[in-house]
Amino acid sequence: MEGKRFPLHLRTSSRARSILVSADTLKGIVRLTVPTYADKDQALRFAQSKSEWLAQRFAEAVPPIAIVDGTQISVSGEPYQISWSEEFARKPALCEDEIRVGGPEQRVEDRIIQWLRDRARFEFENDLIFYCQKARLEYPKLSIGDAKGRWGSCSGRKAIRLNWRLIMAPNMVRRSVVAHEVAHLKHLNHSKSFYEFLDALFEGDRRKADIWLKNHGRALHMIGASQRLVES
């Protein structure tokens, strides 16, 4: 890959129906998923054939951004700078264009992320109440996650899971994802009826929100991404 080498992580799966290759830009590895019945040599040749595409993915990757004193992050789409001082309270607080936080400096990232998760849950709960009342649907069970591959999900058991990182996106973008999942409470598919229901439910332009996530979502995943490396 243009002179660079990346470790290969090969995994066989009985659920896989085809050979899948992806670039894990956070860990700096190539992931290769192979169906149990597939030939591994063939899978390796397939991965090699994707070398240029993989190289491009790694080249375009946004580097992880540690949450430390001086880091700038967004809350509801507005930029704020992390400001740490021993004189500040341990619990983060918005103050004009800063997020002020105290306590041990080495735990700043942990406290900021927990604060963002709490704030996300508060906003998600309000959004769900709004859209469920508008749709005349029962309020679902809410859980907060951090999946790299999706911003939200809805199960057939009337439970919705949302990515806390949406709290860093503009309000319109966050609300579009919540409205999308609420629409799934009625239509657990992406049919014409689903999108008609979603368009009647969401007050904004969902296409603009989708474009925003496509253009900026990767950067949101890199905020405090070092924590993912520790947890995984």
Side-chain angles (χ1 to χ4, degrees):
M1 284 180 251
E2 299 182 351
K4 294 184 179 180
R5 293 179 177 273
F6 297 94
L8 177 70
H9 182 274
L10 189 149
R11 181 176 72 92
T12 57
S13 171
S14 59
R15 301 178 64 180
R17 294 293 176 265
S18 61
I19 300 171
L20 301 174
V21 62
S22 62
D24 187 331
T25 56
L26 181 56
K27 293 187 176 181
I29 62 176
V30 174
R31 294 189 180 277
L32 183 61
T33 302
V34 183
T36 52
Y37 58 81
D39 181 81
K40 290 184 176 58
D41 289 336
Q42 178 187 2
L44 291 171
R45 289 194 295 271
F46 176 74
Q48 184 61 37
S49 72
K50 297 292 184 180
S51 59
E52 291 186 7
W53 177 84
L54 289 166
Q56 184 177 0
R57 297 286 80 75
F58 282 112
E60 294 174 347
V62 178
I65 299 173
I67 300 178
V68 297
D69 183 39
T71 298
Q72 186 178 83
I73 64 173
S74 294
V75 179
S76 297
E78 297 297 324
Y80 293 90
Q81 182 170 302
I82 305 298
S83 179
W84 172 85
S85 171
E86 292 180 342
E87 299 177 357
F88 295 152
R90 286 173 176 259
K91 184 177 180 179
L94 291 177
C95 184
E96 296 183 350
D97 59 351
E98 293 182 338
I99 302 175
R100 294 183 174 179
V101 59
E105 187 173 8
Q106 66 271 23
R107 298 297 303 278
V108 165
E109 183 166 280
D110 294 338
R111 283 193 293 280
I112 293 293
I113 288 179
Q114 186 58 55
W115 177 76
L116 289 171
R117 291 178 71 103
D118 292 342
R119 193 179 182 93
R121 177 174 287 279
F122 176 81
E123 296 294 348
F124 290 153
E125 288 175 346
N126 287 335
D127 294 341
L128 282 173
I129 290 172
F130 176 86
Y131 289 120
C132 286
Q133 288 181 344
K134 187 175 181 179
R136 297 184 178 180
L137 294 170
E138 184 179 346
Y139 188 91
K141 177 183 178 182
L142 170 65
S143 60
I144 309 298
D146 190 16
K148 289 188 292 184
R150 59 176 59 187
W151 296 105
S153 62
C154 176
S155 75
R157 298 175 181 175
K158 307 301 182 184
I160 284 178
R161 188 173 182 82
L162 296 164
N163 195 313
W164 69 264
R165 294 175 183 275
L166 286 168
I167 194 60
M168 295 185 281
N171 290 331
M172 176 197 71
V173 175
R174 184 196 72 245
R175 287 175 62 85
S176 75
V177 175
V178 178
H180 185 109
E181 300 311 327
V182 169
H184 275 314
L185 293 173
K186 187 174 180 66
H187 299 282
L188 201 58
N189 52 48
H190 287 104
S191 63
K192 180 181 178 181
S193 296
F194 165 81
Y195 284 109
E196 288 176 347
F197 186 68
L198 174 58
D199 287 335
L201 192 63
F202 180 51
E203 70 278 9
D205 188 332
R206 62 176 173 82
R207 293 173 182 82
K208 286 186 177 180
D210 291 344
I211 291 172
W212 192 96
L213 279 176
K214 182 178 180 180
N215 292 336
H216 304 284
R218 186 180 299 176
L220 295 188
H221 281 296
M222 291 298 101
I223 302 293
S226 58
Q227 188 176 92
R228 275 184 176 151
L229 289 175
V230 174
E231 294 175 348
S232 61

